[in-house]
Amino acid sequence: MGKQRDLSTGIVAQIQALRQQGLTQTKIAEQLGISQSSVCKALKKNCSKRTNCSGVRKTSARDNKQLRKIAVSNRFKSTSELTDLWNKQTGADVSRSTTYRRLRELGFKSRVPAVKPMLNKKQMEERLKWAKEHGEWTAEDWQKVAFSDESRFCISFGDQGPRVWRRGGETYNHECVKRSVKFPQSVMVWGCMSARGVGKLCFLKKTVNAAVYQDVLETFLIPTVEEQFGEEDFIFQQDLAPAHAAKSTKDWFTKKQLEVLAWPANSPDLKVIENLWAIVKWKIRDRKPTTLDQLKQNIATAWEAVSAETCDKLVKSMPRRLQAVIQAKGAATKY
């Protein structure tokens, strides 16, 4: 590509005049029939300092305050949508790039929203009560717990969805998080772990009812806890899925003389095994399997590669998780 020709003195003068009238670089370029980069170059060349190259500042402190209110009230709007709202409410004529710069100046950054489950008032109260009841448990106490969970893995992880405008420290604010939904059908996996390492992994082939769940526990949980705890006492953790809370499942635990830890509903941030699933999914996300067999192999390989040190570190975070729930008064936490 040849070197761009310098603009004539007349064109440069027109650019400066239009800029002083408040027109954006894009509009100046359209009006004069030249490229936006040429307009930018002309403005920079005629400025003594780079900070003055953008011309007269088009927004006032009052305008910027209004933008802050708009951003806080419209967390999931795009920059273009926020620009339209800002122009409509203030009567200004600012560009998308100006809106973006002002948002940055106000401390907002466009980020992928954190995903947290919807908690109702009763669930928050139960979470707070449970956290206080177990608040005195030490890391050593939690090392005696075997955690379990199911997770769905997909061949395609899809995109990350819409972004959200937020400032520092607002990652887990109620209005800044995206609500989770069910994953598309793929392969469901059951697993367990403790501070001593990961347990046996089970790929579920059908819907998990009470009978199927008890068979999974018999085949995969019992050998794991025998290997990890031997004759030592331990407590088993599970969530409140229907198959877990069924009367026949409770009878199975009684028959096996296994102590089950009471658990608050809708509390994935308290389950350290959730973080373990995230680690496994991160490890396999770039492998791009094309068949379920390939996906299962990737999952098994990543699961077996998780070290006992990683598991122990996750379990030792339990006291901090409980304190976070107490501080949040039962609401979702960063975990």
Side-chain angles (χ1 to χ4, degrees):
M1 180 179 292
K3 182 178 179 181
Q4 187 178 35
R5 292 185 299 173
D6 292 334
L7 298 175
S8 67
T9 304
I11 293 295
V12 172
Q14 291 183 58
I15 290 173
Q16 293 174 349
L18 292 172
R19 188 57 173 159
Q20 289 176 359
Q21 293 175 23
L23 270 68
T24 64
Q25 293 184 13
T26 301
K27 290 185 177 180
I28 293 173
E30 292 175 354
Q31 186 167 326
L32 298 179
I34 58 178
S35 67
Q36 189 269 339
S37 60
S38 296
V39 175
C40 180
K41 181 180 178 181
L43 290 171
K44 287 183 178 180
K45 193 172 183 180
N46 287 275
C47 289
S48 57
K49 295 183 179 179
R50 185 178 179 87
T51 53
N52 294 328
C53 291
S54 59
V56 180
R57 194 174 179 88
K58 295 187 63 176
T59 61
S60 64
R62 185 175 182 178
D63 292 334
N64 296 340
K65 185 177 180 180
Q66 183 65 24
L67 176 60
R68 181 185 65 79
K69 292 181 180 179
I70 293 172
V72 169
S73 302
N74 300 274
R75 298 281 189 171
F76 289 88
K77 296 286 188 182
S78 67
T79 308
S80 297
E81 291 172 319
L82 293 178
T83 301
D84 292 340
L85 289 172
W86 195 21
N87 286 333
K88 184 179 298 184
Q89 294 186 22
T90 63
D93 183 23
V94 298
S95 65
R96 178 185 178 280
S97 58
T98 297
T99 303
Y100 179 79
R101 288 195 301 272
R102 296 298 182 272
L103 287 168
R104 297 281 293 189
E105 292 170 4
L106 292 168
F108 290 95
K109 295 181 180 180
S110 179
R111 294 287 186 263
V112 176
V115 180
K116 291 293 178 180
M118 187 73 73
L119 292 167
N120 57 40
K121 183 178 179 181
K122 181 179 179 181
Q123 290 172 335
M124 291 174 63
E125 291 174 349
E126 291 176 347
R127 280 164 51 85
L128 179 59
K129 178 183 177 182
W130 186 89
K132 290 180 176 179
E133 290 175 348
H134 296 81
E136 295 183 0
W137 280 32
T138 65
E140 288 70 27
D141 292 323
W142 289 107
Q143 287 176 335
K144 300 176 183 178
V145 177
F147 295 86
S148 71
D149 192 30
E150 294 93 9
S151 185
R152 187 175 296 281
F153 286 75
C154 306
I155 289 181
S156 174
F157 288 92
D159 58 27
Q160 296 175 315
R163 301 175 76 85
V164 60
W165 287 103
R166 67 185 185 219
R167 292 164 293 192
E170 293 186 334
T171 302
Y172 297 98
N173 280 17
H174 177 76
E175 65 271 22
C176 295
V177 300
K178 181 177 70 174
R179 305 306 168 190
S180 58
V181 297
K182 295 295 183 181
F183 288 104
Q185 290 296 314
S186 187
V187 58
M188 182 70 81
V189 186
W190 178 93
C192 62
M193 55 85 71
S194 71
R196 307 184 186 193
V198 297
K200 296 184 181 300
L201 204 62
C202 173
F203 292 99
L204 302 169
K205 298 180 179 180
K206 51 187 174 181
T207 302
V208 180
N209 55 28
V212 172
Y213 183 58
Q214 292 160 33
D215 184 60
V216 170
L217 297 176
E218 185 74 50
T219 307
F220 297 91
L221 173 66
I222 297 301
T224 294
V225 295
E226 288 179 347
E227 178 182 332
Q228 294 189 356
F229 294 97
E231 298 299 322
E232 299 178 35
D233 292 333
F234 73 93
I235 303 174
F236 178 63
Q237 181 276 329
Q238 61 176 4
D239 59 27
L240 301 180
H244 304 179
K247 183 180 182 303
S248 61
T249 301
K250 294 179 180 179
D251 292 341
W252 185 90
F253 283 119
T254 300
K255 179 180 178 181
K256 295 293 182 178
Q257 297 183 326
L258 296 181
E259 182 179 356
V260 180
L261 180 64
W263 198 255
N266 221 1
S267 299
D269 53 347
L270 290 172
K271 289 194 295 185
V272 295
I273 194 171
E274 290 282 359
N275 298 85
L276 200 57
W277 292 130
I279 291 172
V280 173
K281 289 178 180 179
W282 180 262
K283 287 179 178 293
I284 69 173
R285 64 179 301 172
D286 293 327
R287 298 184 183 179
K288 296 180 173 57
T290 57
T291 67
L292 286 181
D293 287 338
Q294 291 176 359
L295 177 61
K296 290 178 181 179
Q297 183 59 52
N298 291 343
I299 295 169
T301 300
W303 177 264
E304 293 169 1
V306 176
S307 66
E309 289 77 14
T310 297
C311 294
D312 185 53
K313 183 177 180 180
L314 288 173
V315 172
K316 286 181 178 177
S317 71
M318 281 301 299
R320 298 194 299 275
R321 292 169 187 258
L322 268 65
Q323 287 305 311
V325 171
I326 293 173
Q327 291 176 6
K329 297 181 181 180
T333 68
K334 69 177 184 178
Y335 293 97

